[in-house]
Amino acid sequence: MLIDVVTIFPEVFAQPLQVGVLGRARDEGLLIIRVHDLRDFTRDRHSVTDEPPYGGGPGMVMKPEPFFRAVEFCRGREMPGTRPRVILLTPQGRSLTHHRSEEMALEEHLILLCPRYEGIDERVRQWVATHELSIGDYVISGGEMAALVVIDAVGRLVPGVLGHPQSAKTDSFASPQLEGPQYTRPARYRGLGVPDVLRSGDHGAILKWHQEQARVRTRMRRPQLLSSRGEWQYDRERFDDD
Ligand code: ADE
């Protein structure tokens, strides 16, 4: 998968995308991530990317031209026959969910636009972006952190990226419930023990214990994920706001 990111702070992306699962996926060529400095698509001497809003008001608004040019540039590199998803990160967008991440993981090419300041010229929203995404009902200082969250959530679902396909399946939002508690060595630490069943070697009992713990945790923490009969109901209708 090819992911292009357009930002005025390209340096934000360097470190997080070098490590762990995503770093490895990039090394192996499963993920190609290119980060573009929006200022490279300005044409004035001072590389201006924002201006005061027409009609007055507080703050600054990001100019349309650099975004139009940047996306044209990214599209120019696209593989024949593919149409990239051009995603504007904004608290006004649809919520990022596991389901949407899975959908995006099937795309060949994503272009992520990261606005800053008070906002972005509406023409970018209307004519350049094909999708708008929010990472939650809170406001952060710009789209960069949101883009990193999207890259992580989507990148790990790209086929071949996770060493063990099973790990994606048992992740909390991919499996029928939240994951229960886990323990590792030592068996006793500062007087704190590990449930006996986990050390019993009885695989049937261990599986049952994990299932029961997952059920309890889901009921305690996210009861809205379960139906009245205790069945999992993570589905598009309830959690994807379209
Ligand atoms: N930019 C600012 N806040 C955001 C959010 N919650 N999601 C996506 N982009 C944002």
Side-chain angles (χ1 to χ4, degrees), residues 16-240:
L17 297 177
Q18 261 173 33
V19 300
V21 167
L22 295 184
R24 202 170 334 114
R26 294 180 78 192
D27 290 345
E28 288 170 7
L30 293 167
L31 278 183
I32 299 166
I33 301 174
R34 293 173 173 149
V35 182
H36 308 278
D37 189 337
L38 185 69
R39 292 184 206 285
D40 292 343
F41 299 94
T42 57
R43 299 223 170 122
D44 62 297
R45 202 144 43 95
H46 301 290
S47 303
V48 173
T49 55
D50 62 313
E51 301 258 15
Y54 272 124
M60 301 288 269
V61 174
M62 298 195 84
K63 292 165 67 57
E65 314 94 299
F67 279 105
F68 273 73
R69 290 189 204 114
V71 170
E72 272 157 16
F73 177 81
C74 296
R75 278 178 182 279
R77 298 168 161 204
E78 79 202 40
M79 290 155 267
T82 64
R83 279 193 66 230
R85 226 183 241 230
V86 184
I87 299 169
L88 180 67
L89 280 315
T90 161
Q92 298 180 17
R94 296 198 187 287
S95 313
L96 180 66
T97 58
H98 183 76
H99 178 85
R100 292 213 169 98
S101 304
E102 282 182 324
E103 273 182 3
M104 286 187 275
L106 300 175
E107 299 277 348
E108 305 257 7
H109 187 186
L110 303 179
I111 302 175
L112 304 180
L113 308 181
C114 306
R116 280 262 153 179
Y117 309 110
E118 301 296 314
I120 189 164
D121 189 286
E122 186 65 16
R123 288 164 287 190
V124 177
R125 194 187 292 282
Q126 279 191 339
W127 300 105
V128 180
T130 60
H131 295 75
E132 296 179 39
L133 262 190
S134 163
I135 58 162
D137 289 339
Y138 46 85
V139 176
I140 53 177
S141 325
E144 286 76 13
M145 302 293 179
L148 282 170
V149 170
V150 171
I151 292 170
D152 196 315
V154 173
R156 61 202 299 286
L157 298 177
V158 169
V161 167
L162 285 186
H164 304 281
Q166 195 59 26
S167 359
K169 283 217 190 78
T170 55
D171 275 357
S172 290
F173 279 89
S175 73
Q177 16 207 353
L178 304 187
E179 278 182 88
Q182 292 193 308
Y183 296 86
T184 187
R185 276 194 267 267
R188 185 154 285 276
Y189 179 64
R190 299 194 180 194
L192 305 171
V194 170
D196 288 339
V197 62
L198 296 180
R199 303 177 60 217
S200 68
D202 179 343
H203 296 297
I206 292 171
L207 182 65
K208 230 172 113 204
W209 185 86
H210 276 305
Q211 287 170 342
E212 177 55 19
Q213 293 295 319
R215 228 181 337 268
V216 168
R217 188 158 281 192
T218 308
R219 220 178 293 124
M220 299 274 292
R221 299 188 179 197
R222 300 296 301 276
Q224 69 277 33
L225 297 179
L226 300 171
S227 71
S228 53
R229 283 186 295 155
E231 283 159 0
W232 176 253
Q233 53 179 18
Y234 176 82
D235 59 34
R236 294 200 58 175
E237 275 161 40
R238 280 173 60 91
F239 293 98
D240 290 1

